[in-house]
Amino acid sequence: MSGPQEACDVLVVGSGAAGLTAALTARLHGLDVVVVEKEALIGGTTARSGGWLWIPCSPPARAAGVDDSPQAARAYLRHEAGNAFDAERVDAFLAGGPAMVEFLAARTRVRFELGPAFSDYHPDAPGGRAGGRSIVAAPFDLRALGPELARLRPPLREITFVGMMIGSGRDLTHFFNVTRSARSLAFVARRLARHASDLARHGRAVRATNGNALAGRLLASAVELGIPVRTLSPARELIQADGAVTGALVDTPGGPVRILARRGVVLAAGGFPQDRTRRAALYPHRPDETGHWSPAGPGNTGDGLRLGEGAGGRLAEGLSNPAAWVPVSLVPRRDGTLAPFPHFIDRAKPGVVAVTRDGRRFTNEADSYHDFVQAMLRACEGRAEKAAWLVADHRALRRYGLGHVKPFPVPLRAALRSGYLVRGRTLAELAERAGIAPALAEEIEAYNGPARRGEDPAFGRGSTAYNRYVGDPAVAPNPCVAPLEQGPFYAIKVVPGDLGTFAGLVTDAHARVLDAAGRPIPGLYAAGNDMASIMGGAYPGGGITLGPAMTFGYLAGLHLAGTR
Ligand SMILES: Cc1cc2nc3c(=O)[nH]c(=O)nc-3n(C[C@H](O)[C@H](O)[C@H](O)COP(=O)(O)OP(=O)(O)OC[C@H]3O[C@@H](n4cnc5c(N)ncnc54)[C@H](O)[C@@H]3O)c2cc1C
């Protein structure tokens, strides 16, 4: 093949958490690294994410005196992953995760904070914990990026407040209490004033939290280390010689370029959440175009998997779920398109329940988003439509908001007008307007009786530490349970969505891609969602995609540098 040619030590495909961590690690071990990114913006789904990493025994946890052990975490993962448990990769993750956090904290701008009360999603399972394993990217002032700020993917507009990023800890508490506490009101007023001035000066929010802070910190570190991140440059084909991967053909704005990589190529293109064909083939509900929505990055169309398969790699089979599920509602945008809004915690608030079209509840709504969607798919089995409705009374809706609808005093008008939010003076009227069966009124009445005592005998809301973590600590005796009594009543429809995919390339403990015979393909690595999840299709806790993504990015970087 002729045409322009370049050379480096390591070529990284994709600029999310996995790719940039691999790039930083390799660079800090003296290698010459190039990152190519298909989109105009850097950061992928990572920049839109919550920025939480599940890393048992992390340095922030150790500093806070959390009494955990790799053995307990291993027992938990063994239980969660079931038959898909991969001891070798899990052990590499448990040893490599804390080392990765320490390495990045010492050598780059990447920093994390502990979420001490963020419970594992199944804390009562063997080895499970009620907190101390999830860490979150520390907030970051994006002005440090200078001109590179324009190339960072912004957060999902729908989960910001007028473009402002609200951190999941202290920030969120103040925003929820804005009408109840003078201190919170002052805090929010200060944040809004600063945001307005940032918008005027920089055209976007610059006080980043969560995943945008993580992507910003990774990018700032890459810039400081002189790692080129070439946007609008999709890797199209891998170059192979004598069975080894030696580079890739990359489409750049200036035309195709052969980028040769002396040590190897890292596939970190973020899995296939936007690949409709593979979704229809692998997702259990076999979704058509409208049956499934993903808020993941637009560029994540499965290129990494195709490149890996083309070089002899294969996709993992036998995972209990091919993706990380989340229920999403569809927010109408001004331009006529719909944006999927991920429902992480609103389902758990007292005064909110979920029903299917038959008006019946089907699960503990305070369980994780991954568990909720699985229950929803089971409840809708045999029906063409896979959907549920989150139903709330007036008090709950105004207190907590619901989905894209913000709490009081933000007005409801726009959401009602667009049809995103449906309102009825009575439950019977709500059911009729939302297209839910009339049984809804009877179902809520049956729920309300025990709910007045804080009980949910049907599904056990509030029965786990995770349930209670996402409930409302101010509500007693059960932070997840209150009756729905005060009309008007409201409903929002949710459908299946995902945060990213689990079914990726089979790799070993060094993130090397394995061929059909289980042998490493020389020069080929995969990390992040291009690598088969080590969770076996389960979702054990907050950060179980980014934690392994960055850990195996780090381990790939070390292996490429020859230190492992
Ligand atoms: C709203 C939301 C919240 C989330 N919160 C969390 C959380 O708190 N914790 C957690 O663990 N997970 C979370 N997730 C999931 C998590 O964000 C993803 O699993 C993770 O970011 C994937 O990282 P990655 O590096 O594999 O891919 P990405 O970050 O998506 O990066 C992949 C990049 O590769 C690029 N690319 C694709 N094809 C090519 C190509 N051919 N050539 C070059 N580049 C290419 C893409 O454009 C993209 O920029 C969340 C997801 C969403 C949507």
Side-chain angles (χ1 to χ4, degrees):
M1 223 185 289
S2 59
Q5 188 160 301
E6 297 174 17
C8 58
D9 292 324
V10 176
L11 175 64
V12 176
V13 178
S15 66
L20 290 181
T21 305
L24 292 174
T25 309
R27 181 76 199 99
L28 284 165
H29 284 83
L31 300 184
D32 173 17
V33 181
V34 172
V35 178
V36 291
E37 166 56 53
K38 172 179 173 177
E39 297 282 308
L41 297 172
I42 293 165
T45 310
T46 302
R48 293 179 162 186
S49 75
W52 287 92
L53 274 69
W54 193 81
I55 303 278
C57 309
S58 68
R62 286 201 305 265
V66 173
D67 175 26
D68 196 2
S69 69
Q71 293 74 20
R74 189 178 200 272
Y76 183 52
L77 292 185
R78 178 182 283 284
H79 174 271
E80 293 284 293
N83 288 339
F85 182 72
D86 177 343
E88 211 183 300
R89 287 193 309 152
V90 164
D91 289 341
F93 165 66
L94 291 173
M100 174 274 293
V101 172
E102 200 167 304
F103 174 77
L104 291 181
R107 308 285 300 275
T108 73
R109 284 185 176 246
V110 179
R111 304 278 182 283
F112 295 100
E113 295 171 352
L114 182 68
F118 197 154
S119 169
D120 285 349
Y121 291 174
H122 307 128
D124 302 323
R129 279 191 62 88
R133 287 177 173 165
S134 296
I135 54 176
V136 65
F140 187 54
D141 187 338
L142 297 178
R143 286 174 299 184
L145 283 169
E148 288 290 325
L149 173 58
R151 293 208 300 157
L152 178 69
R153 181 173 292 288
L156 272 181
R157 178 150 187 95
E158 282 69 29
I159 57 174
T160 66
F161 179 61
V162 291
M164 182 170 67
M165 295 172 241
I166 300 177
S168 28
R170 190 172 65 126
D171 270 18
L172 197 60
T173 309
H174 280 307
F175 274 83
F176 269 136
N177 287 329
V178 69
T179 55
R180 248 167 250 98
S181 138
R183 241 184 87 225
S184 293
L185 180 62
F187 178 91
V188 169
R190 258 195 327 272
R191 283 280 268 124
L192 281 170
R194 272 210 327 220
H195 177 59
S197 114
D198 290 344
L199 281 184
R201 253 191 255 166
H202 306 283
R204 61 171 285 171
V206 293
R207 283 155 226 279
T209 64
N210 297 84
N212 214 246
L214 177 59
R217 285 179 175 279
L218 286 163
L219 177 57
S221 309
V223 171
E224 275 165 10
L225 289 167
I227 301 172
V229 183
R230 297 169 61 166
T231 45
L232 292 170
S233 300
R236 195 204 319 160
E237 216 175 278
L238 291 177
I239 301 168
Q240 283 179 277
D242 300 328
V245 171
T246 55
L249 181 65
V250 177
D251 288 327
T252 75
V257 178
R258 285 161 59 84
I259 303 185
L260 299 181
R262 289 178 284 267
R263 300 276 176 111
V265 174
V266 181
L267 299 173
F272 64 95
Q274 306 297 6
D275 177 354
R276 289 188 175 152
T277 310
R278 213 184 285 257
R279 276 187 346 200
L282 293 188
Y283 287 8
H285 46 299
R286 306 275 175 254
D288 61 11
E289 295 207 350
T290 58
H292 188 97
W293 296 73
S294 178
N300 299 27
T301 55
D303 295 3
L305 306 192
R306 278 190 294 276
L307 293 172
E309 286 175 316
R314 65 199 157 94
L315 283 208
E317 286 167 11
L319 305 184
S320 55
N321 291 278
W325 309 127
V326 68
V328 295
S329 54
L330 302 177
V331 184
R333 281 186 167 157
R334 283 213 186 100
D335 64 4
T337 59
L338 294 171
F341 180 97
H343 290 252
F344 290 120
I345 56 171
D346 52 359
R347 296 165 285 109
K349 301 297 183 203
V352 180
V353 296
V355 297
T356 45
R357 196 181 276 287
D358 62 7
R360 302 296 179 191
R361 287 180 67 217
F362 56 94
T363 194
N364 176 346
E365 297 90 343
D367 280 347
S368 81
Y369 29 94
H370 189 61
D371 292 346
F372 180 91
V373 171
Q374 289 176 75
M376 178 168 103
L377 293 177
R378 278 195 300 273
C380 295
E381 212 162 319
R383 299 182 205 164
E385 179 187 57
K386 318 291 182 200
W389 281 260
L390 301 182
V391 176
D393 72 354
H394 188 71
R395 189 201 57 83
L397 185 95
R398 297 315 271 147
R399 173 78 182 89
Y400 309 112
L402 192 63
H404 189 236
V405 174
K406 302 285 183 284
F408 179 81
V410 181
L412 302 178
R413 257 190 324 274
L416 286 166
R417 207 167 348 139
S418 72
Y420 174 75
L421 181 69
V422 181
R423 178 165 65 186
R425 274 165 305 163
T426 61
L427 285 164
E429 188 177 272
L430 178 71
E432 197 194 323
R433 290 192 172 168
I436 305 171
L440 175 70
E442 175 193 300
E443 183 76 2
I444 300 293
E445 209 168 296
Y447 173 75
N448 281 348
R452 290 190 189 99
R453 302 187 298 275
E455 292 166 12
D456 174 25
F459 295 106
R461 282 175 75 119
S463 57
T464 72
Y466 174 68
N467 282 183
R468 294 188 288 277
Y469 174 66
V470 284
D472 178 356
V475 171
N478 187 334
C480 302
V481 175
L484 283 70
E485 315 191 271
Q486 197 196 102
F489 298 92
Y490 300 87
I492 288 175
K493 184 176 177 179
V494 292
V495 296
D498 68 72
L499 300 171
T501 47
F502 284 154
L505 295 162
V506 177
T507 56
D508 70 5
H510 300 294
R512 290 181 296 184
V513 177
L514 303 180
D515 68 12
R519 285 175 315 228
I521 300 168
L524 190 60
Y525 297 75
N529 293 346
D530 279 355
M531 178 188 116
S533 169
I534 60 164
M535 303 294 161
Y539 208 120
I544 58 87
T545 68
L546 283 170
M550 293 184 67
T551 302
F552 284 99
Y554 167 71
L555 294 175
L558 290 184
H559 197 267
L560 280 156
T563 66
R564 291 259 164 163

